[in-house]
Each structure stands twice: as C-alpha cells, then as structure tokens.
Amino acid sequence: MHPQTLRQYDRLGLVTPQRTKGGGRRYSPADIRRLREIQRLSHDEGVNLAGISRIMELERDNDRLRREVDGLRSVLDHLASLRTRVFAADAGGGVTEYSRGERPREPRALVRYSRASQALVLVPRTPRAPVHRDDAEERFR
C-alpha cells in the first residue's frame, strides 16, 4: 500500500498502528490483516471508506456482543446447575447429593443447597394426616 493511503487510514481510525520513538508506524499482524480486509472491501466490493469504517465498527460491536452473550450463557448454565442440586442430610450430619427426582432410600430430611448464601435449607417431610372414614365419606358427597 502507498504510505499516503496508510496515513489516511490512520487518520480515519481504520487502523491504529503502534509508534516508534521517532513517530514511525509499526503494524502488528492484526493491523496487517485489517489493512488487507480494508483493501478487499475497497477494491473488490467497491465500498467507500465511510462504509468500511462502519462495517468494521459493526464487526467490533458484534464480536463484543458475542463474547458477552457467551459469558451470560455460562453464568445461566452455572445458576441452573445450582438450582437443580438436591441433598439429603442424615441424623449424624452427613450430607449426600442426589439427582433431581432421586430420593434417599431411608427416610431423611431433604435439603436444598444454595452456593450463593452457603445455606442448607431443610425441607422436612410432612407426615400425612390419617384419614378417618367419616372425613373421606364427606369429601365424596
């Protein structure tokens, strides 16, 4: 590329090379890839410099948003995994993790673990009240 073209791209902010102590421009491999993309858009696609600037800005925004979405997805996945963890505690203080829907064989208190607060919440099993025959008959009338 012509040096004047490189200066113009620098002025427009399309490429920002590093500078030497004497003020000379030093282009990194990423800068060179960007320059080749600018040249391709300009020569092959016929896009003007304002359009190239806008395309590159949108690509940077798109990359940033993709990284943000990926980060948010990993946070949501982590939170979902914490929400589905079920534990059972025995009388001696031992805690066992179970899959969702799986229950301990012997009666224990079920607990739910919250990593955010480091709390174990006891969910006692409520005993079923005995149903008297008279009550059952009243329900079906």
Side-chain angles (χ1 to χ4, degrees):
M1 287 187 171
H2 194 274
Q4 191 61 34
T5 304
L6 294 172
R7 287 188 201 101
Q8 182 180 12
Y9 292 170
D10 191 7
R11 270 195 309 275
L12 294 173
L14 293 174
V15 178
T16 309
Q18 297 294 318
R19 299 289 183 149
T20 63
K21 289 181 182 179
R25 293 174 177 83
R26 295 287 179 235
Y27 294 93
S28 69
D31 293 332
I32 293 169
R33 282 192 300 275
R34 187 172 294 121
L35 288 168
R36 286 185 176 145
E37 179 64 12
I38 292 168
Q39 188 174 34
R40 185 190 69 76
L41 287 170
S42 177
H43 291 223
D44 298 346
E45 304 294 331
V47 180
N48 64 21
L49 293 180
I52 292 171
S53 176
R54 183 68 177 139
I55 288 169
M56 296 187 91
E57 178 185 335
L58 290 171
E59 285 179 348
R60 280 191 303 272
D61 289 347
N62 194 19
D63 290 341
R64 181 186 55 79
L65 291 171
R66 283 180 197 272
R67 286 190 304 275
E68 189 174 328
V69 165
D70 289 343
L72 291 172
R73 279 191 181 135
S74 68
V75 168
L76 285 174
D77 290 345
H78 177 70
L79 290 174
S81 74
L82 292 178
R83 235 188 350 257
T84 60
R85 297 176 72 186
V86 177
F87 297 84
D90 59 24
V95 177
T96 307
E97 183 175 357
Y98 290 90
S99 303
R100 190 157 182 83
E102 181 183 7
R103 297 288 183 241
R105 295 187 195 284
E106 62 271 359
R108 298 181 191 180
L110 288 179
V111 295
R112 194 171 297 277
Y113 175 71
S114 168
R115 180 164 285 191
S117 67
Q118 298 293 315
L120 287 176
V121 180
L122 292 176
V123 182
R125 293 184 187 267
T126 55
R128 294 184 180 161
V131 177
H132 296 331
R133 186 176 197 143
D134 296 335
D135 293 339
E137 288 174 2
E138 288 247 343
R139 287 186 202 159
F140 293 110
R141 287 185 188 174

